[in-house]
Amino acid sequence: MTRVVVIDPQDLDLARIREVATVLRDGGLVAFPTETVYGLGAHALNALAVARIFAAKGRPETDPMIVHLAGVDRLDTVARNVPPAARDLAAAFWPGALTLILEKRPAVPEAVTAGLHTVGIRVPSHPIAHALLDAAGVPVAAPSANRFSRPSPTRAEHVLADLDGVVDIVIDGGATTIGVESTILDLTVTPPLVRRPGGVALSEIRRVVPDAMSVSETMPHERAQPAPGQLLRHYAPRAPLTLYVGEVAGVSVRLANDVRTAVASGQRVGVLAPEEDLLALAPRLAAVGASGRVVTMRCGSRRDRDAAARDLFQTLRALDARGVDVILASAPEGDGINAAIVDRLTRAAEGRVVRT
Ligand code: TXA
Ligand code: MG
């Protein structure tokens, strides 16, 4: 049985959080909100508890997890040979949506790091995540709290949709504020590499570590791979998704055309796009009489990419719930949070990307 514990992030019930923290410390599985997405937590130094995460998610054992800490003062309990850049980055971005890859201490079980000698570490800023980690007093391994390959959860109901019955407790603290996962920066290579774009922009990281680079900027090279696990089918709704990248004008022409073809072949089509794209698309769909078989879902706007990030995983799940056969998604190219959105949609599309 999964217990749902509702906690108001603006008015923390510390007695309840302490009670939940005991379950975590004793080897239980607790899903909790962070500022990025919901995490599925277990005591990181308890290999049996960590094994339960893999079983609950259906996650391959080759996919390492992020270790969450209450504060930077606990860093040396899980990492060693911490370079000065890590301290500078922690001072600038923790608590927050940045994960640092560092050399791991032997106390961290191999199951957490998928056998790597490095460990991903993050200090989340969400008040519930912080209070829970503080009360637990132990490092907490937590991947996103979805079944493997499904869109990450940004609300407690998404966690329950995927994991009801297989986790002990879900803390319902409402919707997460960023909506896409943390940026992963590998500090064990030179120059430091962003292996997954996320909540913190590379341009902001470069203010602290000027030589940091993204995987896509580097020449093809073994060291320049995305983070392990990121190569697998990921963030995907059930319906196959195609991503359209470009300006509104080009995208809306191409999208309308492809919607018409799909509808003509009898498919129910989901369109996930920024407000401006939906406005440009509406008259084109009406003109071909396709509106009735198309479910449109607004994902933020081209002007407000933070809103698009918040909407992203929720709209992917909502389109699945509407039973569409295919999803056509649009997103503008860009840096910062845009890079994270395009990254997630590209993975969901498994390579079906149309540039207009
Ligand atoms: O925002 C987030 O990062 C969320 C919240 C819950 O903190 N967590 C999250 O975890 O996104 P997850 O498991 O869905 O993604 C963790 C990814 C792994 O798939 C892997 O790519 C990378 O982090 N990772 C973890 N440890 C690593 C390591 N030692 N070296 C390289 N990549 C690592
Ligand atoms: Mg994940």
Side-chain angles (χ1 to χ4, degrees):
M1 268 293 287
T2 297
R3 212 176 112 207
V4 178
V5 175
V6 179
I7 293 181
D8 178 354
Q10 312 312 336
D11 182 20
L12 294 181
D13 181 342
L14 288 176
R16 293 204 114 185
I17 286 178
R18 274 194 292 272
E19 197 192 311
V20 176
T22 308
V23 173
L24 203 48
R25 207 167 40 232
D26 291 347
L29 291 190
V30 175
F32 59 96
T34 81
E35 67 277 26
T36 57
V37 300
Y38 273 71
L40 174 57
H43 187 329
L45 306 182
N46 176 338
L48 283 178
V50 169
R52 289 187 64 203
I53 294 184
F54 286 100
K57 283 194 55 134
R59 183 180 175 103
E61 286 171 16
T62 51
D63 192 358
M65 295 176 194
I66 295 170
V67 172
H68 296 69
L69 305 174
V72 64
D73 53 315
R74 324 261 167 106
L75 187 56
D76 297 296
T77 63
V78 285
R80 63 180 180 190
N81 297 328
V82 175
R87 314 264 176 211
D88 297 342
L89 288 159
F93 299 108
W94 282 355
L98 178 66
T99 294
L100 299 177
I101 306 290
L102 297 165
E103 200 180 311
K104 94 173 183 70
R105 276 200 185 276
V108 179
E110 298 230 319
V112 172
T113 61
L116 298 172
H117 68 284
T118 58
V119 58
I121 302 169
R122 178 162 105 81
V123 174
S125 67
H126 193 289
I128 294 175
H130 174 75
L132 181 68
L133 291 164
D134 195 42
V138 296
V140 171
S144 50
N146 50 284
R147 289 278 308 168
F148 182 70
S149 93
R150 297 272 299 140
S152 296
T154 55
R155 292 165 186 268
E157 68 213 51
H158 304 160
V159 179
L160 289 167
D162 282 12
L163 300 173
D164 194 10
V166 294
V167 305
D168 298 304
I169 298 179
V170 176
I171 301 184
D172 182 350
T176 64
T177 49
I178 296 178
V180 293
E181 301 86 344
S182 61
T183 302
I184 297 179
L185 179 67
D186 191 341
L187 289 175
T188 68
V189 292
T190 310
L193 272 187
V194 169
R195 295 194 185 270
R196 178 179 75 182
V200 173
L202 176 57
S203 56
E204 293 175 62
I205 289 172
R206 280 193 178 138
R207 282 199 241 138
V208 181
V209 183
D211 59 337
M213 289 179 77
S214 72
V215 169
S216 50
E217 286 171 325
T218 55
M219 297 298 286
H221 189 282
E222 204 247 315
R223 281 185 318 113
Q225 293 297 314
Q230 298 300 309
L231 295 170
L232 302 158
R233 176 180 157 85
H234 228 121
Y235 313 107
R238 291 193 181 86
L241 181 148
T242 303
L243 173 63
Y244 297 77
V245 180
E247 300 300 323
V248 186
V251 165
S252 58
V253 171
R254 188 65 197 268
L255 256 178
N257 210 38
D258 292 355
V259 168
R260 190 177 52 208
T261 309
V263 166
S265 71
Q267 291 182 305
R268 266 174 68 81
V269 181
V271 175
L272 182 151
E275 188 174 26
E276 298 85 345
D277 298 46
L278 293 182
L279 284 171
L281 203 56
R284 293 179 186 280
L285 293 185
V288 297
S291 313
R293 294 192 63 87
V294 180
V295 180
T296 56
M297 215 46 89
R298 181 164 59 94
C299 186
S301 74
R302 286 188 177 245
R303 281 159 293 119
D304 188 350
R305 300 313 288 158
D306 289 340
R310 276 195 297 275
D311 289 348
L312 181 64
F313 291 131
Q314 145 109 340
T315 48
L316 286 173
R317 280 176 181 265
L319 282 173
D320 264 343
R322 297 287 292 273
V324 298
D325 300 309
V326 290
I327 298 175
L328 310 185
S330 159
E333 205 110 49
D335 50 13
I337 201 78
N338 257 333
I341 295 170
V342 170
D343 172 80
R344 303 309 185 268
L345 284 171
T346 300
R347 292 178 204 288
E350 297 179 276
R352 288 178 298 270
V353 180
V354 177
R355 287 178 198 279
T356 65

